[in-house]
Amino acid sequence: MLNIVIFGAPGSGKGTQSARIVEMYGINHISTGDVLRAEIKAGTELGRTAKGYIDQGQLLPDELIIDILASTLDSFKESKGVIFDGFPRTIAQAEALKKMLAERSQEVSVMLDLDVPEEELMTRLIKRGQESGRADDNEETIKKRLVVYHSQTSPLIDWYKNEGKYQHIQGVGTMEDIFAEISEVINKI
Ligand code: ADP
């Protein structure tokens, strides 16, 4: 089982690289952001709750997102592994993931930290907002998301170092260069 956590600040390229990993290694993909956007689009109650947090650049409560993750995980049958994109985003979520996988006699194989400088993140996200119209990709919300990333999410770097799972990836360069570095790491697992 290949269980990969793809990690990085908003705009670091997690979604782009996840798609390539899925294509190359045939594992399942969970993007909590995509799950929430689908719920918003479908107009569900969960979608309405999620929108309130997302538009403010805040994280959803841990219990809620952990439940969503667990049910998505259970929907995969005969999986070769999973790439977790946008989860975990807090220490509590990382602990929950560890427990969830342990209950299935599994563990995280590696955590890939896509490292991108802050100015580059801002530029990419503003451009994405203009092109895709994603409501949270506006300057004010992006700034809030980066603050949340630094305060609540980046402590996971040390947490995964401590678990012996951390792997730094240079997140600047062509999509191909970045993917080449990622696949070199995965091929060694
Ligand atoms: P990005 O990585 O570009 O910020 P995502 O698509 O992964 O975007 O997430 C968008 C928003 O969805 C987040 O800003 C947050 O509000 C919510 N969200 C996604 N994943 C989680 C999570 N694991 N915990 C809490 N909130 C989440």
Side-chain angles (χ1 to χ4, degrees), residues 4-8 13-18 21 29-30 83-88 110-114 182:
I4 301 172
V5 170
I6 192 152
F7 184 85
K14 300 185 293 288
T16 309
Q17 294 299 330
S18 292
I21 295 170
H29 178 206
I30 302 183
I83 179 150
F84 298 92
D85 162 7
F87 186 99
V110 69
M111 182 266 221
L112 304 171
D113 176 24
L114 287 174
I182 290 177

Side-chain angles (χ1 to χ4, degrees), residues 11 19-20 22 30 41 47 52 62 94 103 111 142 159 163 183:
R20 308 202 55 165
V22 167
I30 302 183
K41 208 166 162 214
D62 284 330
E103 283 162 5
M111 182 266 221
I142 294 166
W159 195 88
E163 294 274 303
S183 42

